[in-house]
Amino acid sequence: MRATRLYINRKLAVDDEVRLDDESSHHATHVLRINKHSSLALFNGDGYDYAGHLISLRKKAITVRVTGKTLARKESRLQTHLVLGVSKSAHMDFAIQKSVEAGVTEIHPAITERTVIRFSDKSRARRQQHWRNVVISACQQSGRATLPVLHEVKHLSETLPVDEGARGFVLDIRSNQTLGGYAHERLKKIWFVTGPEGGLTQNETQGITDKGFLPVSLGPRIMRTETAALAAIIGAQVLWGDLSEHDSLQQT
């Protein structure tokens, strides 16, 4: 039986008795539908799964005893940064969720010229916490025990790195080059930049390439912003990450 995974925002150790807060208890009972026979695994983002035994199950008072600790081994050897143009709520949630499932290392939400959402300080904090919850939920589902870094939302010009050890790509449907054109390279860290609905403007794309990023296309079909982010990360995992033939040979 597959263990139900629960995120706990605290240090964990074998023999600890952990009482879930009200929100986590509600999620466990009403969303994950745990019962007294459920197999549990706790994680806190430190890279380990902690086996848990349910010792108390009440509506708002769930207590779990930690019975074991195992290195999760679910992280790709490829470090992937995703600069993600902020899009409308459901599209943004999907892009974050699926990027986490695909193995993204860090997510950089970026305000671009075509971003239609406007932020007040209050709404920015609320949306940031919502995105963090999406990251946690995706880790619970996918078995990851290390939380990808979710950076605070910034304007695109403040987001791009100066990182000589990485290869940067900007998604551009006009490009004649694809990721496969760089398959011969042994990349360990990459950056992707993708826009919101409507994509990046030509000026933005030019500014990004001026910083050394390479324009690449994901093929002849136009993808929605949330699909493009997922396709780029999966493509990178196939070429250089834990879906590559090289990585499979290393694990055998």
Side-chain angles (χ1 to χ4, degrees):
M1 179 187 298
R2 181 182 176 184
T4 299
R5 305 183 73 247
L6 300 172
Y7 175 74
I8 306 295
N9 188 20
R10 52 158 284 182
K11 290 184 178 180
L12 295 170
V14 176
D15 294 329
D16 278 356
E17 288 191 5
V18 180
R19 177 169 176 170
L20 276 62
D21 59 30
D22 289 353
E23 182 179 351
S24 297
S25 295
H26 181 274
H27 181 75
T29 54
H30 290 78
V31 179
L32 301 177
R33 302 292 184 182
I34 69 168
N35 57 56
K36 63 182 180 180
H37 302 295
S38 296
S39 177
L40 301 178
L42 310 181
F43 72 103
N44 62 6
D46 66 356
Y48 290 87
D49 276 334
Y50 295 83
H53 174 69
L54 191 63
I55 59 177
S56 175
L57 176 60
R58 294 195 296 273
K59 187 175 182 180
K60 289 190 176 181
I62 295 176
T63 305
V64 178
R65 178 180 291 114
V66 179
T67 60
K69 176 182 178 181
T70 307
L71 186 64
R73 299 186 184 278
K74 294 293 177 69
E75 298 307 304
S76 174
R77 61 192 176 90
L78 177 68
Q79 297 183 47
T80 309
H81 290 247
L82 175 64
V83 178
L84 183 60
V86 174
S87 55
K88 294 178 181 177
S89 181
H91 299 167
M92 191 71 175
D93 288 359
F94 184 95
I96 292 173
Q97 178 190 65
K98 300 308 176 184
S99 296
V100 172
E101 291 177 16
V104 74
T105 309
E106 300 191 24
I107 301 172
H108 307 257
I111 297 173
T112 71
E113 291 182 31
R114 289 177 175 155
T115 295
V116 297
I117 295 173
R118 295 295 177 260
F119 296 93
S120 64
D121 289 343
K122 185 176 181 180
S123 66
R124 184 185 297 256
R126 185 170 61 246
R127 196 169 296 270
Q128 193 78 21
Q129 183 57 52
H130 173 76
W131 291 335
R132 176 174 167 78
N133 290 340
V134 172
V135 169
I136 291 170
S137 178
C139 286
Q140 285 182 169
Q141 188 280 326
S142 63
R144 293 184 67 175
T146 300
L147 296 183
V149 177
L150 175 66
H151 293 268
E152 293 187 2
V153 60
K154 296 180 180 179
H155 286 277
L156 180 61
S157 60
E158 302 174 303
T159 304
L160 301 181
V162 178
D163 190 343
E164 294 182 358
R167 170 71 86 185
F169 298 104
V170 55
L171 302 188
D172 183 2
I173 190 63
R174 297 177 296 267
S175 176
N176 293 321
Q177 185 62 277
T178 65
L179 288 176
Y182 302 94
H184 62 283
E185 299 187 15
R186 288 292 181 89
L187 302 182
K188 296 181 179 180
K189 182 189 292 186
I190 61 174
W191 285 68
F192 284 118
V193 183
T194 183
E197 301 94 335
L200 299 167
T201 66
Q202 283 189 287
N203 285 339
E204 286 175 323
T205 300
Q206 184 62 54
I208 294 166
T209 57
D210 286 346
K211 293 180 180 291
F213 282 64
L214 301 171
V216 292
S217 167
L218 297 176
R221 292 167 296 281
I222 298 174
M223 298 182 186
R224 293 166 67 107
T225 178
E226 65 270 30
T227 312
L230 173 60
I233 295 172
I234 291 291
Q237 294 289 15
V238 169
L239 293 173
W240 307 294
D242 53 8
L243 297 180
S244 71
E245 180 181 355
H246 176 72
D247 192 76
S248 299
L249 290 173
Q250 282 191 327
Q251 296 178 24
T252 57

